Amino acid sequence: MRVAIAGAGLAGLSCAKYLVDRGHTPIVLERRDVLGGKIAAWKDEDGDWYETGLHIFFGAYPNMLQLFKELEIEDRLQWKEHTMIFNQPENPGTYSRFDFPDLPAPVNGLVAILRNNDMLTWAEKIRFGIGLLPAIVQGQRYVEEMDKYSFSEWLKRQNVPERVEKEVFIAMSKALNFINPDEISATIILTALNRFLQEKNGSKMAFLDGSPTERLCEPLVEYIEARGGKVRLKAPLKEIQLKEDGSVESFLIRGLDGAPDEQLEADLYVSAMPVDPLKLLLPDPWRELDYFKQLEGLEGVPVINLHLWFDRKLTDIDHLLFSRSDLLSVYADMSNTCREYANPDKSMLELVLAPAQDWIGKSDEDIVAATLAELQQLFPQHFAGESPATLLKSHVVKTPRSVYKATPGRQQHRPVQRTPLENFYLAGDFTLQQYLGSMEGAVLSGKLTAQAIDADLQNPGATPGTSAQSLTVEPATNAATA
């Protein structure tokens, strides 16, 4: 079948990849001149990359890791030591670590927690462990039920001390969804904790050896086009045109630079756009359908990613760092963690500013100035004295609507990949799948959409709008987010 896909992020590209594997012909349309969607990256005039976000690959990402294997690019993942490293604001310039030993799960995770005495007391560890037991014993069913609570509310219900939230989970919440524990659904953090505790290498992290656009998205395009598919940049979807029965007749592509609009007809159609632009492009007749009405409960969360180049090395740590800052979420010295960005003499820090709601409208200069003030707390030895570190250049990338804002109650608004229209499907990390708003969720959603399309073609009597979750996904998926 000829399948038109709107959006060349991970969801759209993975959907196209798994469609060509099944003998179909996808045509992927991307409105911008860059691949990747929420993982897009650009080169500046100096040849340096700057990215939409700080992208981390976890061991608990089976579908993503399988994709790397199928593309034969596994060597592009640079795996780091199995640890989590937190700044200690009360002792600037120092770190606290959760080191995972080479033991089976969940023993390795429990040992990592028990051996860390910098952040939590033994009494706090025991209280938190007891509170977490229902999620461990009852599994994902319990985790999904907790979507009605924020994580702060869940901690109180489980009688977990408030200091546990302050010391560990503010940082983790901001890393997972760019918001604080009093806003984030308990399902999000409990899902991640379950995977980290149940899989030996679930929390082990890898950095890509270069920009996601070049090192992951371009191989996907090469794979798709080598098998008859096509990926078109600068091809923005202007309108979803309908037949009399309400199904899709064509995608209308907006003409650029004075060119006329183009009507693209296909056998089937997929939206792999984020939820916010999808809602804007919904045809009026569809807005009355319950399936699409549920999307009103979803919207993207703002996030800001910064890149700061300095005249010296600020740190030799080759890993992700949790800042535990009021302003910042996570950061890394990419000159240490990424081969493409390597520099033995200078640092390039990539940092995530979150929550970003109050900052998204501010100038780049104000954002950089505030971040530098925070770095003086993180690296006091380099910003004090007669010769402080000098900022050479910076890039600020603002995303007003990133992954869906995972506040309590959002799970019921996440649509399945099959829509009520017989020739229209959805892909995207906001759609319902076993993972949440993440790279893994995007890849899995694309795979599920491709499987739903193929299953429906083999079984024309399938009911539109029903779940694609019963379809087999290899390897077996486990829930996680980042």
Side-chain angles (χ1 to χ4, degrees):
M1 304 292 283
R2 178 176 158 94
V3 186
I5 302 173
L10 279 178
L13 291 176
S14 64
C15 180
K17 187 268 182 197
Y18 290 109
L19 284 172
V20 296
D21 284 348
R22 289 163 170 79
H24 305 298
T25 305
I27 303 96
V28 183
L29 309 173
E30 169 57 44
R31 69 177 181 88
R32 299 192 294 184
D33 61 356
V34 61
L35 298 165
K38 291 190 283 288
I39 64 165
W42 302 265
K43 266 189 178 181
D44 67 13
E45 60 275 9
D46 300 320
D48 293 319
W49 286 98
Y50 58 102
E51 307 177 9
T52 308
L54 182 52
H55 307 292
I56 307 300
F57 300 81
F58 282 90
Y61 277 6
N63 295 283
M64 175 65 82
L65 300 185
Q66 180 68 19
L67 180 63
F68 271 84
K69 182 177 181 180
E70 292 168 356
L71 295 173
E72 299 182 349
I73 57 171
E74 293 171 282
D75 60 336
R76 298 184 182 186
L77 288 172
Q78 296 182 252
W79 290 99
K80 307 304 178 183
E81 185 181 3
H82 197 175
T83 187
M84 291 186 173
I85 307 174
F86 291 74
N87 278 100
Q88 298 196 86
E90 68 282 359
N91 191 5
T94 65
Y95 305 92
S96 180
R97 299 169 61 103
F98 290 86
D99 293 315
F100 290 71
D102 187 18
L103 296 170
V107 176
N108 63 342
L110 296 175
V111 171
I113 294 170
L114 294 175
R115 288 198 306 200
N116 181 297
N117 295 313
D118 300 325
M119 296 172 67
L120 300 177
T121 66
W122 276 92
E124 288 165 341
K125 293 174 189 177
I126 292 170
R127 293 269 298 276
F128 175 62
I130 293 172
L132 196 59
L133 279 176
I136 296 173
V137 173
Q138 299 181 49
Q140 195 63 20
R141 181 183 63 81
Y142 172 87
V143 169
E144 295 290 340
E145 290 174 355
M146 295 302 103
D147 186 52
K148 56 191 171 184
Y149 303 113
S150 72
F151 191 66
S152 295
E153 291 171 335
W154 180 86
L155 288 171
K156 290 175 183 175
R157 287 175 56 86
Q158 301 305 111
N159 297 312
V160 176
E162 287 185 13
R163 221 177 68 86
V164 174
E165 176 181 315
K166 177 178 179 292
E167 293 298 306
V168 178
F169 288 105
I170 291 177
M172 191 170 180
S173 175
K174 294 203 295 184
L176 291 172
N177 197 240
F178 315 123
I179 54 179
N180 284 312
D182 60 346
E183 283 193 282
I184 197 169
S185 163
T187 294
I188 305 298
I189 295 182
L190 292 176
T191 295
L193 287 174
N194 249 3
R195 294 282 58 81
F196 292 168
L197 289 174
Q198 292 182 15
E199 300 177 28
K200 178 180 178 180
N201 293 317
S203 58
K204 193 170 184 179
M205 303 178 216
F207 284 72
L208 201 54
D209 65 355
S211 82
T213 297
E214 186 175 58
R215 303 298 285 170
L216 174 55
C217 296
E218 288 185 8
L220 269 166
V221 172
E222 291 168 5
Y223 184 102
I224 292 162
E225 294 190 336
R227 289 157 180 80
K230 190 172 183 179
V231 179
R232 295 176 52 183
L233 299 178
K234 299 175 71 174
L237 179 59
K238 178 180 180 180
E239 183 183 345
I240 301 172
Q241 298 183 319
L242 304 185
K243 301 176 183 177
E244 288 187 5
D245 64 0
S247 62
V248 182
E249 180 179 41
S250 63
F251 276 173
L252 187 65
I253 304 170
R254 185 185 303 277
L256 301 179
D257 301 322
D261 295 344
E262 174 190 350
Q263 194 173 39
L264 178 68
E265 295 185 355
D267 299 303
L268 300 172
Y269 301 83
V270 176
S271 168
M273 299 181 291
V275 67
D276 299 284
L278 170 62
K279 289 191 292 185
L280 291 175
L281 282 169
L282 285 178
D284 288 338
W286 291 5
R287 297 178 187 274
E288 303 304 314
L289 301 176
D290 289 340
Y291 176 90
F292 292 108
K293 283 182 179 179
Q294 68 185 321
L295 299 180
E296 292 304 314
L298 299 174
E299 66 175 24
V301 63
V303 65
I304 298 172
N305 203 52
L306 295 99
H307 307 72
L308 305 178
W309 283 261
F310 290 94
D311 65 342
R312 69 193 65 180
K313 276 288 185 189
L314 300 185
T315 177
D316 291 320
I317 295 176
D318 179 12
H319 216 296
L320 182 74
L321 294 161
F322 293 83
S323 74
R324 298 177 70 203
S325 151
D326 290 338
L327 183 71
L328 303 174
S329 169
V330 291
Y331 70 99
D333 189 334
M334 300 297 281
S335 69
N336 300 329
T337 62
C338 176
R339 277 192 288 268
E340 174 73 18
Y341 307 159
N343 189 318
D345 303 313
K346 299 176 182 179
S347 282
M348 190 279 269
L349 297 187
E350 188 169 343
L351 313 101
V352 180
L353 191 155
Q357 183 66 47
D358 295 336
W359 288 90
I360 200 75
K362 294 184 182 293
S363 69
D364 290 358
E365 292 77 15
D366 286 345
I367 292 169
V368 170
T371 302
L372 288 175
E374 292 292 307
L375 292 182
Q376 292 177 23
Q377 303 300 314
L378 298 179
F379 301 105
Q381 69 275 28
H382 292 293
F383 289 95
E386 296 181 359
S387 180
T390 299
L391 178 67
L392 300 177
K393 69 175 182 179
S394 64
H395 285 295
V396 177
V397 181
K398 298 178 181 178
T399 306
R401 292 286 182 265
S402 183
V403 294
Y404 75 94
K405 189 174 183 179
T407 52
R410 293 317 97 197
Q411 287 293 92
Q412 64 182 320
H413 293 280
R414 299 177 69 189
V416 296
Q417 290 76 33
R418 287 189 178 97
T419 78
L421 294 314
E422 63 180 5
N423 66 347
F424 185 71
Y425 297 78
L426 294 185
D429 59 13
F430 69 93
T431 62
L432 189 61
Q433 27 80 18
Q434 293 168 289
Y435 285 75
L436 305 164
S438 62
M439 293 187 293
E440 172 71 4
V443 169
L444 176 54
S445 76
K447 179 183 286 189
L448 289 171
T449 303
Q451 290 185 340
I453 287 171
D454 207 51
D456 289 349
L457 292 173
Q458 296 180 42
N459 179 23
T463 303
T466 57
S467 176
Q469 296 299 299
S470 60
L471 297 167
T472 302
V473 178
E474 295 296 341
T477 57
N478 295 300
T481 185

